[in-house]
Structures are given as structure tokens and as C-alpha cells.
Amino acid sequence: MAEAIWSTDTGEAVYRSRDPVRNLRLRVHLQRITSRNYLHCQPAAQLGKDLIDLATFRPHPTASGHRPEEEEEEEVVIGWQEKLFSQFEVDLYQNEAACQSPLDHQYRQEILKLEDSGGRKNRRIFTYTDSDRYTNLEEHCQKMTTAASEMPSFLVERMANVRRRRQDKRGMGGGILQSRVVTWEPSEEFIRNSHVINTPLQTMYIMADLGPYGKLGYKKHEHVLCTLKVDSNGVITVKPDFTGSKGPYRIETEGEKQELWKYTIDNVSSFAQPEEEEREQRVFKDLYGRHKEYLNSLVGTDFETTVPGALRLFVNGEVVSAQGYEYDNLYVHFFVELPTSNWSSPAFQQLSGITQTCATKSRGMDNVAYFSYPFTFEASFLHEDESVGALPEWPVLYCEVLSLDFWQRYRVEGYGAVVLPTTPGSHTLTVSTWRPLELSPVAELRRFFIGGSLELEDLSYVWIPGTFKGERLSRFGLRAETTGSVTFRLHCLQQSRAFMESSSLRKRMRSVLDRLEGFSQQSSIHNVLEAFRRARRRMQEARESLPQDLVSPSETSVS
């Protein structure tokens, strides 16, 4: 006989089904492999007779009247929450004095009907449903591992007190609170009863009574074959998994004479007929359609859209950190400047903010202050000039880093500015900063002892101010020192009717969006061309200031 291939994977499997769980059917097959029958050696009737009679090996009938061969192997098809009584329950509920709850009396009536109809069909295989006491007690004594001697950890002990909310819903009487909202000194029983996982769950256990012949009905011989759990989302948990193509599972009983049992679990649920599947699809389609209409009614039709030719910019940002500064206890003052042409923001919109004061931590060679300060703002761009030479400007983010000393006096640690990203998505920007510097040592002493330092009257002077109308912005004579850097994390969203594929305005706005998309590249090229243009203009002014006799004919022709 070939050696049996056992399935050692007894972990749980999770399935999801839209079909009602009442249609679930399982076939459980249980068979004994080794028997605990022992040989009864009878004395020989005659001298010289050393052969044992074959009748000696014949098994004796059990006390229940069933032959042992009938209890060697058993196969049962079980439905969801189908109650199969064990021998212990049959003996218990036949005594009316043992029935205490309405469920006990119901079980007693069912058992009496079974006895009148010829007795129960199952022998060793039985079930515990969600309403039985075993289900409630089993939730508090589950093991986390397969080890024989498991030491529960602190988390396991806490999770053992967590109860699952049942599927049955109990009515709430009235709208008046029956208990206090806050319990200041909760007891252990109160914590155990109140600690409930909110997902409704139903449990069912398929059991086996592996007791010896004629001695069925003892709790110590009960073994769990399969555990089924179903929640309200249609998730079915089976432990162990269906046998399928795998080998059978094995159970070794404990005691003086160990026995080996094998069993299999198969899903024998009937498949739905094509007519039923079609009807179910129609029902689901109608249900989803009604749900979609319900969601549309919640959202409404007054979805705010941009005007034609406009682009709306949403920025959800975060001041992440600042590093590389001289002093501790840093905070950042920041604001967004919108170009004066074609940009606007709502009246309630706040375009500036100040972070909290944050102490620095040593990270490598730098001292880093982590702010994690969120901010958000909204701005709109309305393109009116369709000329090719019109170059749209983009909002600029300014930041000012300051530090506080023990006496709550502040010092300016640095100024910085950066153009907001022109493409939607997530961006991480690192802004390098600088601060004005005085060459006098008295200024540095004053900065160290009593606070205060040189400050910019207009923070937009860090970049090109929006109010500047000239051709040249001179910073001649301004001495500055490079300080640290500030890190921003920006999540940019853009909204425009031109993004809609079916909109007729897409062709009209395409040139505008192309210029907006390539603003960073165009601005860099524009800066290079401006630099060449300024250099050429200075060369021309220098030639005009020289005497005419010093200018060579070749230079005149070049100019």
C-alpha cells in the first residue's frame, strides 16, 4: 500500500463571494486509519492447536447498537449554520432539567423529533453554530501559533478580550441614553464587554467525536475539523482550507492508545443555473444604477467649473524642514506672490503663513528643524493676450527663516524664493537662503547678544518684485552671506476646461497651455537672451562714451 500523502498546511484561507452564504455546502469525510482494537487470544481447544481462530479478530458490537464498521468511516454534507447534534448534546437535552435558555428548549424539541423519526443520521461528525455556547467560548481561547506549549504575549492576551459583533441586530429602545457617555473608572468586565470589533461576523465549527467504540459523548474526545467565519462583506474564512487536490488532513488522538484519523473537506455547493445568473446580473445592474443615482444626488449638479480661457491652480503644500542655520529655535514665515497681470485669488484666501518654533536635531553635519507644517491656497490665471510674444508669469513662493533666543528676541537667518512648479503632481523643492551682512564686528556682536540684524523692508526684493517696472534691478552694494536651506513639499493640481477632451475650447487654449507648460524652459531661455541683450547694450554705451578717434573702423562696422 502506498504511503498516504498528508496535507500539513492547516492555515486559514480567505474567499470573497457575492452569492448568499446560505447556498454554501461542504462535504466532510472522516475515516479511521489505525484501530485501537486489540487481539483477544483465546486458549486452544486442543493440544497442538497453535492457530488463532479468525473469529477472535471480529469486532464486537457497540453499546449504541451500531457496528464498529459504521463508525470507522463517515461522510456528511453540511450546510451553512446547519445544526448536527453530538452524542453529548443528545444525552444532555433529553433531560428537561438541563434546559435553561429558549435555545436549549428548542434543541430539546428537535432532538425528540429526531428520536421519533429513527434517530440522528450522523455519528461522529457534528456542528456548533453561531448561537451555541462553544462559539462564544472559543473566541477567548484561540491560539496564535501551532506550537503545543504556547506562551501568550501581551498582545495576545489583550486581543483575546476582543469580541466580534454578531450579525443579529438588537433594537435600541428610545432615543435616551441608557448609560453614561464617559466611564471614568471602567472595570475589567466593562472593558471586556465594550471592546468589540465593529465588523459583524458569524462563526460555525465542524466537529468530530473521536472517542472509542461505545463511549461517544465525552467533551475530551471532541476535535475541531473545520472553522468557518463569514462577515457582512461576503468574506468567507475557512480553516483549514478545502482539500481539493491536496492530501487529507490528519488527527492523532492522545491517550494510552493513540489513534490516527484522516478527513477531507470539499466544497460541493451547487452551481447557479444560467437563468439564475442572468437574473442576478439584472438585479445587480439595477442596484448599481440606483446607487449611482443616489451618489449623483448627493454630489449635485452645481459642480464648480472654471470660466473659458482660465486655469485654476490648487496647491497643498508642507514646510518640511530647515537645515544648515547658525542658531536654534527656528520658524519660517512664507507667502505667495501672484503676478499682477492675469492672476487672482479668492477674497477669503490667505497667501501667507508662519510655522511653529522648532528646535533643531543633529543629522550628520547639519542641524535640522522638522516643521511638517501644512498649508494650502488657490489661484486663478485668466489668459487674455493671445499674442505670441506674451509670456505668462508664474506665482513665486517667498520664505524668511528666523530664530528665537532665550529672551524671545528674533534674528533673521535667511531669505529665499522659488517659482512654483508649472506642472501638476508632487514636487519637493529645496530653497537656498541668504541674509544681509554687515562687515562691522559690532553688528555680529549685537546679533549674538541682544538680537536684531539687517532686514529687508520688502521681502519680494529677494526675487524680482511684481511692482518693478524698470529694465534693470540693481543690487549693487548689498553684501550677503549664504546660510541654510528650506525644504518644501508641494502637491499641485490644475483645473481648466481645456483639459476636457470633448471641449471645443481645447484648440483655442492649446497655445496658452503649451506656454504655461514650458514656462520654466522659456523663462530660462528668456533670461539668457536678456543677459546677452544687456551685455550688448553696455558695449554700445561704452563705445558711445569713447572719443570718435579711438573707435576703429572695424569696431564701428561691428556695432
Side-chain angles (χ1 to χ4, degrees), residues 450-473:
I450 64 175
S453 58
L454 291 179
E455 301 179 21
L456 297 179
E457 294 183 359
D458 185 6
L459 294 183
S460 62
Y461 187 75
V462 179
W463 198 256
I464 301 177
T467 57
F468 179 73
K469 300 299 182 181
E471 296 182 358
R472 302 181 183 85
L473 177 61

PDB file of all heavy atoms in Angstrom, residues 450-473:
ATOM      1  N   ILE A 450      22.154  90.769  21.811  1.00  0.00           N
ATOM      2  CA  ILE A 450      20.873  91.445  22.015  1.00  0.00           C
ATOM      3  C   ILE A 450      19.893  91.207  20.866  1.00  0.00           C
ATOM      4  O   ILE A 450      18.783  91.730  20.884  1.00  0.00           O
ATOM      5  CB  ILE A 450      21.080  92.963  22.214  1.00  0.00           C
ATOM      6  CG1 ILE A 450      21.673  93.598  20.947  1.00  0.00           C
ATOM      7  CG2 ILE A 450      21.968  93.230  23.412  1.00  0.00           C
ATOM      8  CD1 ILE A 450      21.790  95.103  21.046  1.00  0.00           C
ATOM      9  N   GLY A 451      20.280  90.406  19.898  1.00  0.00           N
ATOM     10  CA  GLY A 451      19.380  90.108  18.793  1.00  0.00           C
ATOM     11  C   GLY A 451      19.318  91.259  17.803  1.00  0.00           C
ATOM     12  O   GLY A 451      19.912  92.325  17.983  1.00  0.00           O
ATOM     13  N   GLY A 452      18.555  91.027  16.773  1.00  0.00           N
ATOM     14  CA  GLY A 452      18.420  92.052  15.745  1.00  0.00           C
ATOM     15  C   GLY A 452      19.511  91.937  14.695  1.00  0.00           C
ATOM     16  O   GLY A 452      20.649  91.565  14.995  1.00  0.00           O
ATOM     17  N   SER A 453      19.177  92.267  13.471  1.00  0.00           N
ATOM     18  CA  SER A 453      20.126  92.227  12.366  1.00  0.00           C
ATOM     19  C   SER A 453      19.521  92.991  11.210  1.00  0.00           C
ATOM     20  O   SER A 453      18.399  93.508  11.294  1.00  0.00           O
ATOM     21  CB  SER A 453      20.451  90.783  11.965  1.00  0.00           C
ATOM     22  OG  SER A 453      19.262  90.115  11.603  1.00  0.00           O
ATOM     23  N   LEU A 454      20.290  93.076  10.145  1.00  0.00           N
ATOM     24  CA  LEU A 454      19.777  93.754   8.959  1.00  0.00           C
ATOM     25  C   LEU A 454      18.598  92.988   8.379  1.00  0.00           C
ATOM     26  O   LEU A 454      18.617  91.759   8.300  1.00  0.00           O
ATOM     27  CB  LEU A 454      20.881  93.869   7.908  1.00  0.00           C
ATOM     28  CG  LEU A 454      22.042  94.825   8.239  1.00  0.00           C
ATOM     29  CD1 LEU A 454      23.056  94.808   7.107  1.00  0.00           C
ATOM     30  CD2 LEU A 454      21.521  96.236   8.452  1.00  0.00           C
ATOM     31  N   GLU A 455      17.561  93.696   7.993  1.00  0.00           N
ATOM     32  CA  GLU A 455      16.365  93.087   7.427  1.00  0.00           C
ATOM     33  C   GLU A 455      15.978  93.798   6.134  1.00  0.00           C
ATOM     34  O   GLU A 455      16.327  94.965   5.932  1.00  0.00           O
ATOM     35  CB  GLU A 455      15.187  93.159   8.408  1.00  0.00           C
ATOM     36  CG  GLU A 455      15.440  92.487   9.735  1.00  0.00           C
ATOM     37  CD  GLU A 455      14.244  92.611  10.655  1.00  0.00           C
ATOM     38  OE1 GLU A 455      13.129  92.856  10.128  1.00  0.00           O
ATOM     39  OE2 GLU A 455      14.409  92.484  11.877  1.00  0.00           O
ATOM     40  N   LEU A 456      15.275  93.068   5.276  1.00  0.00           N
ATOM     41  CA  LEU A 456      14.751  93.643   4.047  1.00  0.00           C
ATOM     42  C   LEU A 456      13.394  94.280   4.324  1.00  0.00           C
ATOM     43  O   LEU A 456      12.519  93.652   4.938  1.00  0.00           O
ATOM     44  CB  LEU A 456      14.612  92.582   2.966  1.00  0.00           C
ATOM     45  CG  LEU A 456      15.906  91.904   2.476  1.00  0.00           C
ATOM     46  CD1 LEU A 456      15.584  90.860   1.424  1.00  0.00           C
ATOM     47  CD2 LEU A 456      16.880  92.935   1.913  1.00  0.00           C
ATOM     48  N   GLU A 457      13.217  95.511   3.896  1.00  0.00           N
ATOM     49  CA  GLU A 457      11.912  96.141   4.065  1.00  0.00           C
ATOM     50  C   GLU A 457      10.854  95.489   3.191  1.00  0.00           C
ATOM     51  O   GLU A 457       9.689  95.390   3.579  1.00  0.00           O
ATOM     52  CB  GLU A 457      12.018  97.628   3.720  1.00  0.00           C
ATOM     53  CG  GLU A 457      12.897  98.421   4.686  1.00  0.00           C
ATOM     54  CD  GLU A 457      12.901  99.888   4.334  1.00  0.00           C
ATOM     55  OE1 GLU A 457      12.230 100.259   3.325  1.00  0.00           O
ATOM     56  OE2 GLU A 457      13.558 100.669   5.042  1.00  0.00           O
ATOM     57  N   ASP A 458      11.232  95.027   2.018  1.00  0.00           N
ATOM     58  CA  ASP A 458      10.317  94.376   1.090  1.00  0.00           C
ATOM     59  C   ASP A 458      10.866  92.990   0.782  1.00  0.00           C
ATOM     60  O   ASP A 458      11.931  92.855   0.174  1.00  0.00           O
ATOM     61  CB  ASP A 458      10.173  95.190  -0.191  1.00  0.00           C
ATOM     62  CG  ASP A 458       9.130  94.602  -1.147  1.00  0.00           C
ATOM     63  OD1 ASP A 458       8.454  93.626  -0.740  1.00  0.00           O
ATOM     64  OD2 ASP A 458       8.999  95.108  -2.270  1.00  0.00           O
ATOM     65  N   LEU A 459      10.146  91.927   1.239  1.00  0.00           N
ATOM     66  CA  LEU A 459      10.644  90.571   1.029  1.00  0.00           C
ATOM     67  C   LEU A 459      10.660  90.182  -0.444  1.00  0.00           C
ATOM     68  O   LEU A 459      11.403  89.283  -0.843  1.00  0.00           O
ATOM     69  CB  LEU A 459       9.791  89.566   1.807  1.00  0.00           C
ATOM     70  CG  LEU A 459       9.851  89.644   3.333  1.00  0.00           C
ATOM     71  CD1 LEU A 459       9.015  88.546   3.956  1.00  0.00           C
ATOM     72  CD2 LEU A 459      11.292  89.546   3.823  1.00  0.00           C
ATOM     73  N   SER A 460       9.847  90.813  -1.254  1.00  0.00           N
ATOM     74  CA  SER A 460       9.853  90.495  -2.681  1.00  0.00           C
ATOM     75  C   SER A 460      11.151  90.944  -3.362  1.00  0.00           C
ATOM     76  O   SER A 460      11.405  90.570  -4.509  1.00  0.00           O
ATOM     77  CB  SER A 460       8.658  91.136  -3.377  1.00  0.00           C
ATOM     78  OG  SER A 460       8.726  92.553  -3.274  1.00  0.00           O
ATOM     79  N   TYR A 461      11.984  91.696  -2.627  1.00  0.00           N
ATOM     80  CA  TYR A 461      13.281  92.097  -3.177  1.00  0.00           C
ATOM     81  C   TYR A 461      14.195  90.884  -3.338  1.00  0.00           C
ATOM     82  O   TYR A 461      15.197  90.945  -4.058  1.00  0.00           O
ATOM     83  CB  TYR A 461      13.923  93.139  -2.253  1.00  0.00           C
ATOM     84  CG  TYR A 461      15.189  93.765  -2.792  1.00  0.00           C
ATOM     85  CD1 TYR A 461      15.131  94.708  -3.802  1.00  0.00           C
ATOM     86  CD2 TYR A 461      16.442  93.402  -2.293  1.00  0.00           C
ATOM     87  CE1 TYR A 461      16.288  95.279  -4.298  1.00  0.00           C
ATOM     88  CE2 TYR A 461      17.600  93.967  -2.778  1.00  0.00           C
ATOM     89  CZ  TYR A 461      17.521  94.904  -3.788  1.00  0.00           C
ATOM     90  OH  TYR A 461      18.670  95.473  -4.275  1.00  0.00           O
ATOM     91  N   VAL A 462      13.865  89.778  -2.671  1.00  0.00           N
ATOM     92  CA  VAL A 462      14.650  88.549  -2.847  1.00  0.00           C
ATOM     93  C   VAL A 462      14.570  88.081  -4.295  1.00  0.00           C
ATOM     94  O   VAL A 462      15.557  87.605  -4.872  1.00  0.00           O
ATOM     95  CB  VAL A 462      14.138  87.461  -1.902  1.00  0.00           C
ATOM     96  CG1 VAL A 462      14.920  86.173  -2.085  1.00  0.00           C
ATOM     97  CG2 VAL A 462      14.233  87.932  -0.467  1.00  0.00           C
ATOM     98  N   TRP A 463      13.395  88.188  -4.890  1.00  0.00           N
ATOM     99  CA  TRP A 463      13.177  87.873  -6.299  1.00  0.00           C
ATOM    100  C   TRP A 463      12.999  89.195  -7.024  1.00  0.00           C
ATOM    101  O   TRP A 463      13.390  90.243  -6.528  1.00  0.00           O
ATOM    102  CB  TRP A 463      11.950  86.969  -6.420  1.00  0.00           C
ATOM    103  CG  TRP A 463      11.818  86.219  -7.719  1.00  0.00           C
ATOM    104  CD1 TRP A 463      10.980  86.511  -8.737  1.00  0.00           C
ATOM    105  CD2 TRP A 463      12.532  85.059  -8.122  1.00  0.00           C
ATOM    106  NE1 TRP A 463      11.099  85.615  -9.752  1.00  0.00           N
ATOM    107  CE2 TRP A 463      12.077  84.686  -9.401  1.00  0.00           C
ATOM    108  CE3 TRP A 463      13.534  84.279  -7.525  1.00  0.00           C
ATOM    109  CZ2 TRP A 463      12.570  83.593 -10.100  1.00  0.00           C
ATOM    110  CZ3 TRP A 463      14.007  83.178  -8.222  1.00  0.00           C
ATOM    111  CH2 TRP A 463      13.539  82.847  -9.493  1.00  0.00           C
ATOM    112  N   ILE A 464      12.416  89.192  -8.184  1.00  0.00           N
ATOM    113  CA  ILE A 464      12.093  90.432  -8.879  1.00  0.00           C
ATOM    114  C   ILE A 464      10.710  90.864  -8.419  1.00  0.00           C
ATOM    115  O   ILE A 464       9.729  90.152  -8.641  1.00  0.00           O
ATOM    116  CB  ILE A 464      12.114  90.241 -10.406  1.00  0.00           C
ATOM    117  CG1 ILE A 464      13.499  89.767 -10.851  1.00  0.00           C
ATOM    118  CG2 ILE A 464      11.724  91.533 -11.119  1.00  0.00           C
ATOM    119  CD1 ILE A 464      13.592  89.475 -12.332  1.00  0.00           C
ATOM    120  N   PRO A 465      10.573  91.977  -7.735  1.00  0.00           N
ATOM    121  CA  PRO A 465       9.255  92.390  -7.228  1.00  0.00           C
ATOM    122  C   PRO A 465       8.250  92.554  -8.358  1.00  0.00           C
ATOM    123  O   PRO A 465       8.579  92.948  -9.473  1.00  0.00           O
ATOM    124  CB  PRO A 465       9.549  93.721  -6.525  1.00  0.00           C
ATOM    125  CG  PRO A 465      11.015  93.703  -6.253  1.00  0.00           C
ATOM    126  CD  PRO A 465      11.638  92.932  -7.372  1.00  0.00           C
ATOM    127  N   GLY A 466       6.999  92.249  -8.034  1.00  0.00           N
ATOM    128  CA  GLY A 466       5.959  92.371  -9.044  1.00  0.00           C
ATOM    129  C   GLY A 466       5.666  93.812  -9.411  1.00  0.00           C
ATOM    130  O   GLY A 466       5.145  94.083 -10.490  1.00  0.00           O
ATOM    131  N   THR A 467       5.999  94.728  -8.513  1.00  0.00           N
ATOM    132  CA  THR A 467       5.758  96.147  -8.785  1.00  0.00           C
ATOM    133  C   THR A 467       6.892  96.797  -9.554  1.00  0.00           C
ATOM    134  O   THR A 467       6.797  97.985  -9.891  1.00  0.00           O
ATOM    135  CB  THR A 467       5.554  96.883  -7.458  1.00  0.00           C
ATOM    136  OG1 THR A 467       6.699  96.694  -6.618  1.00  0.00           O
ATOM    137  CG2 THR A 467       4.313  96.362  -6.746  1.00  0.00           C
ATOM    138  N   PHE A 468       7.969  96.057  -9.822  1.00  0.00           N
ATOM    139  CA  PHE A 468       9.116  96.646 -10.527  1.00  0.00           C
ATOM    140  C   PHE A 468       8.797  96.753 -12.011  1.00  0.00           C
ATOM    141  O   PHE A 468       8.420  95.779 -12.661  1.00  0.00           O
ATOM    142  CB  PHE A 468      10.361  95.788 -10.304  1.00  0.00           C
ATOM    143  CG  PHE A 468      11.586  96.303 -11.018  1.00  0.00           C
ATOM    144  CD1 PHE A 468      12.241  97.435 -10.559  1.00  0.00           C
ATOM    145  CD2 PHE A 468      12.069  95.655 -12.142  1.00  0.00           C
ATOM    146  CE1 PHE A 468      13.359  97.900 -11.214  1.00  0.00           C
ATOM    147  CE2 PHE A 468      13.186  96.125 -12.797  1.00  0.00           C
ATOM    148  CZ  PHE A 468      13.841  97.252 -12.333  1.00  0.00           C
ATOM    149  N   LYS A 469       8.954  97.964 -12.544  1.00  0.00           N
ATOM    150  CA  LYS A 469       8.622  98.240 -13.935  1.00  0.00           C
ATOM    151  C   LYS A 469       9.837  98.611 -14.764  1.00  0.00           C
ATOM    152  O   LYS A 469       9.724  98.802 -15.965  1.00  0.00           O
ATOM    153  CB  LYS A 469       7.592  99.371 -14.031  1.00  0.00           C
ATOM    154  CG  LYS A 469       6.277  99.077 -13.314  1.00  0.00           C
ATOM    155  CD  LYS A 469       5.582  97.867 -13.881  1.00  0.00           C
ATOM    156  CE  LYS A 469       4.250  97.609 -13.182  1.00  0.00           C
ATOM    157  NZ  LYS A 469       3.577  96.404 -13.711  1.00  0.00           N
ATOM    158  N   GLY A 470      10.982  98.727 -14.148  1.00  0.00           N
ATOM    159  CA  GLY A 470      12.165  99.148 -14.883  1.00  0.00           C
ATOM    160  C   GLY A 470      12.778  98.022 -15.693  1.00  0.00           C
ATOM    161  O   GLY A 470      12.302  96.893 -15.714  1.00  0.00           O
ATOM    162  N   GLU A 471      13.885  98.378 -16.336  1.00  0.00           N
ATOM    163  CA  GLU A 471      14.590  97.386 -17.142  1.00  0.00           C
ATOM    164  C   GLU A 471      15.666  96.676 -16.348  1.00  0.00           C
ATOM    165  O   GLU A 471      16.008  95.539 -16.648  1.00  0.00           O
ATOM    166  CB  GLU A 471      15.225  98.061 -18.368  1.00  0.00           C
ATOM    167  CG  GLU A 471      14.207  98.659 -19.323  1.00  0.00           C
ATOM    168  CD  GLU A 471      14.877  99.262 -20.537  1.00  0.00           C
ATOM    169  OE1 GLU A 471      16.143  99.232 -20.572  1.00  0.00           O
ATOM    170  OE2 GLU A 471      14.185  99.740 -21.431  1.00  0.00           O
ATOM    171  N   ARG A 472      16.253  97.348 -15.350  1.00  0.00           N
ATOM    172  CA  ARG A 472      17.337  96.774 -14.574  1.00  0.00           C
ATOM    173  C   ARG A 472      17.005  96.907 -13.095  1.00  0.00           C
ATOM    174  O   ARG A 472      16.610  97.975 -12.645  1.00  0.00           O
ATOM    175  CB  ARG A 472      18.664  97.476 -14.866  1.00  0.00           C
ATOM    176  CG  ARG A 472      19.084  97.442 -16.328  1.00  0.00           C
ATOM    177  CD  ARG A 472      20.424  98.132 -16.507  1.00  0.00           C
ATOM    178  NE  ARG A 472      20.826  98.179 -17.891  1.00  0.00           N
ATOM    179  CZ  ARG A 472      20.454  99.117 -18.752  1.00  0.00           C
ATOM    180  NH1 ARG A 472      19.657 100.110 -18.337  1.00  0.00           N
ATOM    181  NH2 ARG A 472      20.869  99.085 -20.005  1.00  0.00           N
ATOM    182  N   LEU A 473      17.211  95.824 -12.352  1.00  0.00           N
ATOM    183  CA  LEU A 473      17.059  95.832 -10.906  1.00  0.00           C
ATOM    184  C   LEU A 473      18.452  95.684 -10.308  1.00  0.00           C
ATOM    185  O   LEU A 473      19.068  94.614 -10.374  1.00  0.00           O
ATOM    186  CB  LEU A 473      16.154  94.684 -10.441  1.00  0.00           C
ATOM    187  CG  LEU A 473      15.970  94.553  -8.926  1.00  0.00           C
ATOM    188  CD1 LEU A 473      15.325  95.806  -8.347  1.00  0.00           C
ATOM    189  CD2 LEU A 473      15.150  93.318  -8.591  1.00  0.00           C
TER     190      LEU A 473
END
